[in-house]
């Protein structure tokens, strides 16, 4: 018998999903039959993403303008989903990446901002969805972090630091909510072909007097699989964790990096 991921009847919320990994995750969940709601800050780009996902999957997709650093936005988003579809089964905590830079280049304001963007935003989503998941005895909370939780990436001081806080938070949370059959995991991507990666390549190229394409190629060559990930390849890991195939997996970091991390 073929193994099929079928999320029919499941309600999923995917944060920061107007492009990149978030959008690919929303698309993969919708294609598997889930009813999906996405959020992001820009109404135009959010609506474009909503239409794209609807067109490629045929599913109804809900979109809500929200900034994940604002607790009230996240609560209002989840409330609108609950008013519409009754509950949330699957929540994907995602956000934009923190600014790149060395310790000397970064300001305290950037540390504060990244705390809100990278760590506090996951707390906002967890607070909004966990009571629903625990009450129904089924839930999946999945955060998109980075391979930087396995080894520090140069010039990504903020990501290297605060994402470890998210992993510690979610590992602890996984133990607390496991008795309610709510599973909490992290997906840690390596170099993935998105606008964020192109932006990092453009900044690095300027600094090093080369082209963004040369930098992307360098990163691909540094990866044992010798290529960048496509966003859909990260989304498939999320799809697995959201599905019943992962029914005994909780408190884990699933690294999807083409073999990049040199750690065991
Ligand atoms: P991206 O910049 O292409 O997309 C980020 C999305 O988040 C966009 O839809 C943007 O509108 C939205 N967003 C940003 N800030 C927001 C906020 N405050 N509230 C709501 N929405 C917001 O990024 P991506 O490459 O898809 O990366 C997603 C996450 O994965 C980031 O945290 C990134 O650092 C991480 N990551 C990416 C890579 C990679 O190579 N692309 C590798 C490792 C980790």
């Amino acid at each position: 018998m073929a193994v099929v991921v079928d999320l029919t009847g499941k309600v999923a919320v995917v944060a920061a999903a107007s492009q990149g990994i978030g959008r690919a995750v929303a698309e993969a969940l919708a294609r598997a039959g889930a009813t999906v709601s996405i959020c992001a800050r820009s109404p135009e780009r959010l609506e474009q993403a909503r239409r794209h996902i609807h067109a490629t999957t045929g599913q109804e997709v809900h979109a809500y303008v929200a900034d994940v650093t604002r607790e009230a936005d996240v609560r209002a988003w989840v409330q609108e989903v609950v008013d519409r579809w009754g509950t949330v089964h699957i929540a994907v905590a995602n956000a934009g990446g923190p600014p790149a830079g060395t310790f000397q280049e970064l300001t305290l304001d950037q540390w504060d901002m990244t705390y809100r963007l990278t760590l506090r935003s996951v707390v906002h989503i967890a607070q909004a969805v966990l009571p629903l998941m625990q009450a129904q005895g089924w839930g999946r909370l999945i955060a998109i972090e980075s391979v930087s939780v396995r080894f520090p990436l140069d010039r990504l001081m903020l990501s290297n630091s605060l994402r470890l806080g998210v992993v510690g938070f979610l590992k602890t949370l996984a133990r607390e909510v496991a008795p309610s059959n709510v599973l909490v995991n992290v997906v840690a991507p390596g170099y993935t072909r998105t606008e964020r990666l192109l932006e990092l390549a453009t900044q690095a190229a300027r600094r090093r007097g080369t082209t963004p394409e040369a930098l992307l190629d360098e990163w691909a060559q540094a990866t044992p699989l010798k290529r960048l990930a496509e966003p859909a390849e990260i989304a498939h890991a999320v799809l697995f964790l959201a599905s019943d195939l992962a029914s005994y997996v909780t408190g884990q970091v699933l690294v999807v990096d083409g073999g990049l991390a040199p750690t065991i």
Side-chain angles (χ1 to χ4, degrees):
M1 195 177 72
V3 175
V4 178
V5 173
D6 183 4
L7 298 180
T8 306
K10 295 287 192 285
V11 177
V13 295
V14 184
S18 64
Q19 64 183 39
I21 293 170
R23 192 184 82 170
V25 167
E27 198 173 329
L29 295 175
R31 192 165 282 130
T35 308
V36 177
S37 176
I38 56 175
C39 88
R41 290 161 306 173
S42 151
E44 297 77 27
R45 284 170 34 199
L46 184 66
E47 177 55 18
Q48 267 177 20
R50 192 195 66 73
R51 283 202 201 153
H52 169 86
I53 299 165
H54 172 65
T56 55
T57 66
Q59 294 278 354
E60 184 191 355
V61 182
H62 172 257
Y64 189 90
V65 177
D67 180 337
V68 293
T69 66
R70 297 163 60 95
E71 193 233 346
D73 282 15
V74 172
R75 274 201 189 278
W77 171 38
V78 170
Q79 189 57 52
E80 191 164 298
V81 172
V82 171
D83 290 346
R84 200 182 175 100
W85 291 321
T87 190
V88 172
H89 300 97
I90 299 160
V92 180
N94 182 43
T102 63
F103 179 64
Q104 285 216 324
E105 290 163 0
L106 295 165
T107 64
L108 260 185
D109 279 350
Q110 287 175 309
W111 281 92
D112 283 345
M113 207 189 69
T114 303
Y115 160 69
R116 296 185 71 85
L117 181 67
T118 302
L119 207 160
R120 202 176 201 265
S121 69
V122 185
V123 178
H124 296 160
I125 292 168
Q127 283 183 332
V129 300
L130 282 176
L132 301 161
M133 294 178 178
Q134 289 184 284
Q136 71 206 4
W138 199 102
R140 302 292 158 92
L141 174 61
I142 301 154
I144 309 297
E145 298 305 325
S146 166
V147 69
S148 68
V149 303
R150 282 291 183 257
F151 74 114
L153 296 169
D154 288 346
R155 298 188 54 80
L156 289 183
M157 169 64 75
L158 292 172
S159 173
N160 298 341
S161 304
L162 286 153
R163 290 193 193 282
L164 287 169
V166 179
V167 171
F169 160 48
L170 293 181
K171 181 77 184 177
T172 312
L173 186 65
R175 297 172 62 85
E176 291 183 8
V177 299
S180 313
N181 192 33
V182 176
L183 311 184
V184 180
N185 291 289
V186 168
V187 168
Y191 295 118
T192 308
R193 194 185 300 282
T194 66
E195 291 177 41
R196 154 87 174 165
L197 194 69
L198 187 58
E199 187 189 304
L200 288 175
T202 304
Q203 288 171 15
R206 219 175 285 132
R207 236 186 20 259
R208 289 171 44 182
T210 179
T211 61
E213 293 68 31
L215 258 297
L216 291 175
D217 188 53
E218 187 179 312
W219 293 337
Q221 292 313 314
T223 302
L225 280 181
K226 301 295 176 204
R227 62 181 180 83
L228 305 176
E230 296 303 326
E233 294 180 286
I234 310 303
H236 291 155
V238 177
L239 188 60
F240 162 68
L241 290 171
S243 76
D244 279 326
L245 295 176
S247 52
Y248 205 60
V249 181
T250 195
Q252 301 306 306
V253 176
L254 177 48
V255 179
V256 189
D257 69 346
L260 181 69
T263 50
I264 292 176

